[in-house]
Amino acid sequence: MKQFLITAAGVFLGLTIFLIGVPFLLISAAAGALAPEPLPGKMVLNLDLRAPITDQDAGVAAIFRGGSTSLISVLETLRRAEKDDRVKAVFVRLPEGGMAPATADELRFAIKHFRAGGKPVFAHSQGLYPSGAVASTYMLGAATDAFWMQPDSSFQAVGMANSDIFLKRAFDKYGVKADFAQRYEYKNAVNPYLYTDYTAAHRESALGWMGSVYVSALTAAAADRKRDPVALKAVFEAGPYLAQEARAKGLIDQVGQVKEAQDALIKATDGAKLTEMKDYRGGLKALDLSGKPTIAYVGAEGAIMTGSSDTSNPLSGDATAHSDDVAKALYDAAEDKDVKAIVFRVSSPGGSDTASEQILAAVRAARAAGKPVVVSMGTYAASGGYWISSGASEIVADPTTLTGSIGVFGGKFAVGEALARLGVDMKSLKVGGDYADAFDPSGEFTPAQKARFEGWMDQIYNGFVGRVAQGRRLPVERVREIARGRVWTGAQAKENGLVDHLGGFYTAVDRAKVLAKVNGEVKLKRFGGPQSPFEVIGRSLGMTSASLRTLAASAWILGDPAAKNIMDQAMQARLRSQGANVLAPAPF
C-alpha cells in the first residue's frame, strides 16, 4: 500500500509538472519572443541564412525544426524594410554548402528589389564547399553590392553533383522483393529499389534538371557581376580556390573576417546598428491597410496528406499540407467578400492523390466564385504539388523550382523470403476476393493481383493527365508527352507550358492584382496557417485555448510575477494581432 501511494504521488507530481510546468515554459518562450526591445533609429539588418530555411511560417513547430527561418517571413520583412527609413542596409551570412535553388532564387529577387531602392546589401561567406546546389549559394552572394569571404577560406563551388544509393543487389542477397509499378519511366522515386544503376530515363531526367539549375545560377551570377557567362563558367569550374585567389579572378569582391565586412557596411551607413532580422520583424507594428483591397494568401508546404493538423502531432518538426486545412483555407478565402484574388503558395514534393484532389476541388471552387487563384511555387511543386496547382488561373514558379513529375508509383516490399532465411515464417489469411491480400508483405503480387493493381495505376495516371490538360488548356496528347513522371525546373516548365511566369512570391502577388483588376497597395491576408502557442499547447493537453488562458490568468491573480508578465505580454500581442496575419503590401 505504501509503495502504491508513493507511485501514485509520483505520477500526480509528474502530471502536475507536465500540465502546468511545461505549458508555462512554452508560453514563457512564446511570450518572450513577442516582447522585443525598442528598435534603433538606424539599422543594418543581419540576415543569417546558415540556419535551416522553411518555405512558410511553421508557428510554434518552428521551435522543433532547429531554429529554422521562414522564407516567406524574410521576403515580407525585406519588403517592409525597403520603405522603412530606419533601415539603411542588409548584411547576409551565407551558408557554406548549397541551399535549395528556388529559395536562392526568391532571395535573389528580394535582394535585387531591396537594392533598387538605393540601399546596399553585403554578403559574407566563410567558405563554399561542394555540397548540393552550391552554385545557387554563390549566385545569391553575387547579387549583392559586395561579396566578402573569410581569408584562406575555400571556394569549392565548381559545379553540382548528386548521388543515389541503389539497393537492388542487397535486396536480392537477403531475399527482399521490391514489387512496384511506375507511371512512367521518369517516375524514378523507386528506382533505387528496382535497379543497380541509373536507367537511361532516370539519368536523362536527373541531368536535365541539374543542368538547368546549374546554368540558371551561373547565368544569373554572370548578369549580376557583369561577366560573360561562358567566361565565368570557365573560371568557376577551374577551381577550387582559396578566397584570395577567388578575389583575384573576380569571383568575389573582398577578403576579410565577418567583423571587418560588418564594420565596412556600418561605416558606409554612417554608424547604423547591426540588428538581427528577427528582432526587427518582432518590433514592427501592424500596417494600417484599412480600406485597401484584400488579396488572400494560402500556403501548402510539405507532403500532401488527408486529414487535418488536429489529428497530427502539433509539435512535430515535419511540414505537412493537410488537405482539410488547405481546402478550408481556400474555401474561406473564396467566401470572404473582401478578398479580390488568392495567392496559393505551394512548396510540396507530392503526396496522396485523394488529398491532392480535395485541394484541387477547392481551387476550382474559388475560381468558380469569381476569385482568381495564382499559384506561387516554392522549392517544389511536383507530383501532388503540381496536381493541386494545375487548376489555378496562373502559375508562377522560380526558375529553379522543381515541378512536374506528373506520374504515379506504388507497390510493396515482399519480405517473406527474407524473414524465412532468418528462421521467421510469415503466414497470412484472408476472406473475400483475390485482391484482399494483394498488399500482404509475405509475397509478391500474383499475376491477377498485378493486373488489377496496374489497372488502378493507369486510372490514377490518366486522371492526373486529364486534370492537367483541363487546368492548363493543353491537349491530352501534349500532356502525355511532357508528363511520364519527369521532373522539370521552373524555367523548363515555362517552355513546355506547365508554368505561366517565372518569378517569386511577389511576382505572384502582382499577377493576382492584374487578374483582379486591382491597382496600388493591397492587403495580403493569410487564411489558414500555423496555430498560436495557446492553441498548440492546449490541443496537446486536450484543453481549449480559453481554458489555457484561464489557467495562466489564475496564476496571475494569485500574484505570480512571471505569470503576470506573460499575461501582460499576451495581452499586448492580442492588441497587435489585428494585423498579425497581414503580410506586407505589394509596392505598386
Side-chain angles (χ1 to χ4, degrees):
M1 183 66 178
K2 180 180 178 181
Q3 184 61 43
F4 171 79
L5 292 175
I6 293 174
T7 302
V11 171
F12 178 78
L13 178 61
L15 286 173
T16 301
I17 293 173
F18 180 75
L19 293 174
I20 298 178
V22 172
F24 267 96
L25 285 174
L26 293 175
I27 295 170
S28 298
L34 293 172
E37 296 180 359
L39 294 172
K42 292 193 300 183
M43 291 173 280
V44 170
L45 299 187
N46 187 59
L47 173 58
D48 194 337
L49 299 176
R50 296 172 298 172
I53 302 176
T54 62
D55 189 74
Q56 298 158 36
D57 189 6
V60 174
I63 299 172
F64 301 88
R65 293 191 189 177
S68 60
T69 300
S70 159
L71 173 62
I72 294 296
S73 69
V74 170
L75 301 180
E76 174 206 355
T77 304
L78 287 173
R79 284 294 172 111
R80 291 285 298 271
E82 287 178 13
K83 297 184 177 181
D84 190 337
D85 291 337
R86 298 172 299 173
V87 176
K88 305 302 181 182
V90 171
F91 187 80
V92 181
R93 301 291 302 275
L94 295 173
E96 295 176 27
M99 59 193 308
T103 298
D105 281 341
E106 289 272 6
L107 291 170
R108 174 177 175 266
F109 293 145
I111 284 173
K112 290 177 70 66
H113 201 279
F114 183 90
R115 290 180 59 199
K119 298 181 179 181
V121 180
F122 284 15
H124 188 274
S125 170
Q126 291 179 280
L128 293 172
Y129 295 92
S131 170
V134 70
S136 296
T137 305
Y138 173 76
M139 173 195 73
L140 187 56
T144 64
D145 293 277
F147 189 168
W148 287 65
M149 286 192 75
Q150 183 171 304
D152 297 318
S153 60
S154 296
F155 187 103
Q156 297 189 38
V158 297
M160 183 175 178
N162 186 48
S163 61
D164 293 282
I165 296 176
F166 293 87
L167 301 172
K168 176 68 164 58
R169 288 200 305 117
F171 283 178
D172 289 345
K173 179 178 179 179
Y174 293 104
V176 176
K177 307 293 184 183
D179 203 357
F180 286 86
Q182 304 153 283
R183 295 294 182 274
Y184 277 95
E185 68 272 23
Y186 295 105
K187 195 72 173 180
N188 49 50
V190 295
N191 278 17
Y193 311 139
L194 305 176
Y195 305 101
T196 60
D197 197 353
Y198 295 103
T199 63
H202 190 172
R203 186 182 301 276
E204 178 189 355
S205 178
L207 289 176
W209 70 257
M210 288 172 64
S212 180
V213 167
Y214 181 56
V215 169
S216 178
L218 284 186
T219 301
D224 290 339
R225 294 193 67 80
K226 297 178 174 57
R227 297 281 298 270
D228 175 70
V230 175
L232 177 63
K233 182 175 182 289
V235 174
F236 197 80
E237 295 178 357
Y241 309 107
L242 291 180
Q244 293 89 328
E245 295 176 280
R247 182 187 180 189
K249 294 181 180 297
L251 294 172
I252 62 172
D253 299 300
Q254 297 288 343
V255 175
Q257 297 292 341
V258 63
K259 182 67 164 57
E260 295 176 272
Q262 291 170 341
D263 288 346
L265 186 54
I266 289 171
K267 182 178 180 181
T269 53
D270 195 25
K273 184 176 180 181
L274 191 68
T275 305
E276 293 298 325
M277 183 165 284
K278 65 177 183 298
D279 294 335
Y280 171 71
R281 178 178 173 83
L284 287 173
K285 296 180 180 179
L287 291 169
D288 181 10
L289 296 173
S290 54
K292 300 293 184 183
T294 299
I295 290 181
Y297 159 50
V298 176
E301 180 178 11
I304 302 170
M305 298 176 60
T306 56
S308 72
S309 57
D310 289 338
T311 60
S312 66
N313 178 4
L315 303 181
S316 170
D318 297 328
T320 303
H322 291 95
S323 58
D324 285 1
D325 297 339
V326 178
K328 182 180 185 303
L330 288 166
Y331 285 123
D332 288 347
E335 294 169 4
D336 190 317
K337 60 181 178 59
D338 294 327
V339 169
K340 306 302 181 185
I342 300 170
V343 173
F344 184 22
R345 176 72 174 189
V346 177
S347 187
S348 170
S352 161
D353 61 307
T354 51
S356 299
E357 181 62 14
Q358 181 183 357
I359 296 172
L360 176 60
V363 170
R364 290 172 169 170
R367 293 187 61 186
K371 308 292 174 72
V373 179
V374 178
V375 164
S376 168
M377 291 182 167
T379 300
Y380 308 98
S383 196
Y386 192 81
W387 188 311
I388 66 178
S389 303
S390 62
S393 308
E394 289 186 359
I395 297 176
V396 177
D398 291 301
T400 56
T401 293
L402 297 184
T403 187
S405 193
I406 301 166
V408 294
F409 68 85
K412 66 177 180 177
F413 291 105
V415 297
E417 181 182 337
L419 292 175
R421 295 182 185 184
L422 300 175
V424 178
D425 296 315
M426 176 179 284
K427 305 296 181 182
S428 63
L429 299 171
K430 72 173 179 181
V431 295
D434 174 66
Y435 200 72
D437 65 345
F439 287 89
D440 173 13
S442 65
E444 298 175 82
F445 292 115
T446 67
Q449 290 171 343
K450 187 77 168 181
R452 293 173 68 176
F453 176 68
E454 297 267 5
W456 173 79
M457 293 277 287
D458 287 333
Q459 292 180 40
I460 300 297
Y461 178 73
N462 291 335
F464 195 169
V465 168
R467 286 164 177 79
V468 173
Q470 177 184 354
R472 299 299 302 165
R473 302 180 191 86
L474 293 170
V476 170
E477 295 74 17
R478 173 57 180 159
V479 176
R480 290 190 183 279
E481 290 176 8
I482 58 179
R484 307 190 71 81
R486 180 158 180 175
V487 173
W488 305 98
T489 63
Q492 293 169 327
K494 185 176 185 299
E495 292 178 359
N496 61 35
L498 294 177
V499 162
D500 296 295
H501 306 280
L502 296 181
F505 176 77
Y506 280 99
T507 304
V509 172
D510 291 339
R511 292 307 306 166
K513 289 169 58 179
V514 170
L515 295 180
K517 297 179 173 59
V518 170
N519 297 313
E521 288 188 332
V522 294
K523 176 170 66 175
L524 278 175
K525 180 179 179 181
R526 177 158 192 168
F527 286 75
Q531 296 176 312
S532 71
F534 281 113
E535 292 170 328
V536 170
I537 298 167
R539 201 181 82 218
S540 299
L541 304 177
M543 303 166 64
T544 65
S545 58
S547 299
L548 196 57
R549 289 189 178 94
T550 301
L551 177 63
S554 298
W556 180 53
I557 293 171
L558 293 173
D560 185 330
K564 180 179 184 300
N565 183 48
I566 291 171
M567 290 300 295
D568 288 343
Q569 293 177 30
M571 182 61 70
Q572 292 170 15
R574 183 173 182 180
L575 293 174
R576 295 198 303 265
S577 67
Q578 299 256 343
N581 64 342
V582 177
L583 299 182
F588 40 74

